[in-house]
Amino acid sequence: SSGEFYRGLPEFILKQLRPLIIPRIKIKNVALIMNLINEDTTVLDLSWYAYLDEESCAMMKVNLPSSLRVLILDNCFSLTDTMLMKLLPERIEELSVRNCVQLTNMAFFERDEYHPSMKKLDVRGCVCLSGDVIKKDKRPFARE
């Protein structure tokens, strides 16, 4: 599994990874994931991460580096509106939540107020979203 790839790598190598892409990681302890991220990480890809909950999302937000600009949470099927709102940093510029089937318009309703720097949002496969999320803004969005 791809999570096995990272096991055994020296910490100094893990700290050099930019962007940090951890597909299908099987680490349940969010603190361990946060230890992989350094202060220069600009892109974090947690696609297919299966262990998200409200507590872990709140912890991640507090520990995300100020350099982070792109967050990819594709296929995180447990991701809810509340969890996304707890996790999403204000300075984020690009967010991809493809196939996060539990997300609704609520997660994006006040996006402009809380995330004015967001330039790109990919919501393809988010079946519970209506077109209002996309029409609300003139910034580029991706949705099929």
Side-chain angles (χ1 to χ4, degrees):
S1 76
S2 57
E4 295 293 316
F5 171 79
Y6 297 98
R7 185 176 300 176
L9 285 177
E11 186 174 329
F12 74 92
I13 291 177
L14 291 172
K15 292 286 187 181
Q16 297 302 312
L17 296 176
R18 287 183 237 25
L20 185 58
I21 301 171
I22 313 176
R24 297 182 187 245
I25 193 165
K26 294 187 178 185
I27 298 173
K28 292 182 183 180
N29 186 336
V30 173
L32 293 176
I33 295 172
M34 294 291 97
N35 286 336
L36 298 176
I37 300 170
N38 67 38
E39 64 276 356
D40 298 326
T41 300
T42 57
V43 177
L44 178 59
D45 186 343
L46 290 173
S47 296
W48 296 96
Y49 187 63
Y51 305 107
L52 286 176
D53 58 29
E54 287 189 31
E55 183 180 334
S56 64
C57 287
M59 183 192 152
M60 276 196 238
K61 182 173 184 171
V62 170
N63 292 291
L64 288 174
S66 60
S67 60
L68 188 70
R69 296 295 178 258
V70 179
L71 182 59
I72 303 167
L73 299 168
D74 297 344
N75 303 299
C76 291
F77 302 118
S78 64
L79 186 66
T80 65
D81 297 333
T82 304
M83 291 162 56
L84 182 61
M85 287 187 280
K86 285 185 177 190
L87 170 61
L88 202 56
E90 293 175 20
R91 65 200 167 276
I92 202 76
E93 294 177 6
E94 296 183 26
L95 173 66
S96 182
V97 288
R98 293 170 106 178
N99 301 312
C100 293
V101 295
Q102 293 192 54
L103 294 179
T104 69
N105 287 15
M106 187 178 95
F108 306 101
F109 183 69
E110 295 178 337
R111 187 183 66 141
D112 290 338
E113 182 179 341
Y114 296 108
H115 303 99
S117 61
M118 191 180 298
K119 298 173 185 166
K120 185 176 178 187
L121 174 65
D122 190 342
V123 294
R124 288 180 276 184
C126 296
V127 295
C128 293
L129 293 179
S130 74
D132 294 341
V133 169
I134 296 151
K135 292 175 190 172
K136 182 175 189 281
D137 203 332
K138 294 182 174 74
R139 287 179 274 184
F141 292 92
R143 172 113 188 233
E144 293 176 345

